[in-house]
Amino acid sequence: MLFDQEGGGHRADRRGLAGSLGGAGVEDLRSLWRPLLVRRLAPLDRGGEVDLADLARELSGAVVCALLGSGADPRAVAGAAAEAAAASVRSHLPGPRRPRAEAAAARAADRLRRLLGPAGEALPAMVAVAAVNTTVAALPRAVAWCADAGLWEQAADEALRPVLADELLRVTSASPLLPRVAAADGVVGGCPVRGGDRLLLVARHAAGAHRRDPDALRPAGPAVDRLVFGAGPHACPGARLARAQLADVLGALAPYRPVVTRARVDRGAALPGWRVLTVRAGVSEAGA
């Protein structure tokens, strides 16, 4: 359902999400995650460490529960959404069919649906899978890049911070591949494409992530950086939310100039990301 929706049902579902993910809806959600950031980043004030991957899981689960009006535990929702996505990917991998993979994916999706609310409703589970997995993939990777490239000065600048968030989302590209179906015959890069052909678009290449590093002073620009969210009727409705969320995370971290102390990749996740990404404060503004 996440990748194959089309037609009237697809448009109706997007309209249903539009209000929650528009400007006013995102501002309401900001009032939820900003106190969470203050609480979770407090150990940095005391010389402690914070696992940004764990923070991203809690933050994404809390946002999903708020979006869906669910009283479920945010961490449980994040865990179930991650497992549902990973199981679905395993069941669709090319090559020999994996015994029981489809059954495992169905069970994982059912657990997520039951956790979120009335059984049988697929849309809440779809929203949870998309929001949790892209957030958990994007936020820690963006923070790690910011630390490695020394971009905290840009993150601390209120004018540059939203631009830097766009740039980091462009290069990390939480959904690096976008499955699509050709609407009509055509030619792409000299290769003929027939209407109905199933395509995999490499979003990070379209956005130039393999050619230019993130830089808020010399950004790629909206015509390019927005490509990681797709285009047309299938563009990600959560793009505004993703930008605001990352900008606030960068703003909360910038005074600490964090450095990465431990990183462990998540090899079982549906999207590229870190299982653990621990940071501690580097040089703070107060100590500069």
Side-chain angles (χ1 to χ4, degrees):
M1 182 178 180
L2 179 60
F3 295 127
D4 297 333
Q5 269 199 313
E6 59 184 356
H10 174 64
R11 289 191 292 272
D13 287 345
R14 288 179 65 89
R15 283 195 298 270
L17 288 170
S20 299
L21 296 174
V26 169
E27 285 305 312
D28 286 342
L29 291 170
R30 269 184 149 150
S31 67
L32 167 73
W33 75 57
R34 281 174 168 168
L36 187 153
L37 289 175
V38 171
R39 172 174 60 82
R40 290 300 310 272
L41 297 180
L44 297 178
D45 283 318
R46 305 186 295 271
E49 296 184 333
V50 173
D51 180 358
L52 266 297
D54 185 64
L55 185 154
R57 287 189 284 271
E58 181 178 358
L59 188 154
S60 64
V63 167
V64 163
C65 288
L67 274 173
L68 300 176
S70 171
D73 177 71
R75 288 182 175 274
V77 168
E83 176 53 32
S88 179
V89 167
R90 287 192 292 269
S91 71
H92 286 83
L93 288 174
R97 295 181 66 84
R98 290 155 177 79
R100 298 181 292 278
E102 290 186 7
R107 288 194 299 271
D110 185 60
R111 283 196 296 271
L112 177 60
R113 285 196 296 268
R114 286 188 281 106
L115 183 62
L116 290 171
E121 294 188 14
L123 180 61
M126 181 183 73
V127 171
V129 166
V132 166
N133 287 279
T134 53
T135 300
V136 171
L139 289 186
R141 291 175 64 207
V143 170
W145 199 312
C146 210
D148 288 348
L151 296 175
W152 291 121
E153 289 296 331
Q154 294 186 6
D157 188 308
E158 290 188 9
L160 292 178
R161 191 181 306 139
V163 183
L164 178 62
D166 283 345
E167 281 287 279
L168 288 166
L169 289 169
R170 175 180 64 81
V171 295
T172 55
S173 187
S175 296
L177 298 177
L178 299 175
R180 293 291 185 265
V181 175
D185 294 349
V187 177
V188 179
C191 178
V193 175
R194 294 172 298 179
D197 281 354
R198 299 181 70 83
L199 309 173
L200 276 178
L201 309 181
V202 185
R204 68 183 312 275
H205 285 183
H210 59 311
R211 292 195 185 97
R212 54 188 299 173
D213 288 343
D215 187 347
L217 298 174
R218 289 173 291 277
V224 174
D225 61 44
R226 289 175 186 170
L227 292 175
V228 295
F229 294 106
H234 283 272
C236 175
R240 184 195 298 266
L241 173 64
R243 293 187 183 102
Q245 206 168 62
L246 178 54
D248 282 356
V249 169
L250 295 175
L253 284 169
Y256 301 103
R257 306 300 197 266
V259 294
V260 175
T261 59
R262 182 181 176 219
R264 179 159 61 90
V265 71
D266 192 344
R267 300 191 184 281
L271 297 173
W274 298 105
R275 181 65 185 170
V276 174
L277 186 85
T278 305
V279 301
R280 62 171 172 78
V283 180
S284 70
E285 287 180 342

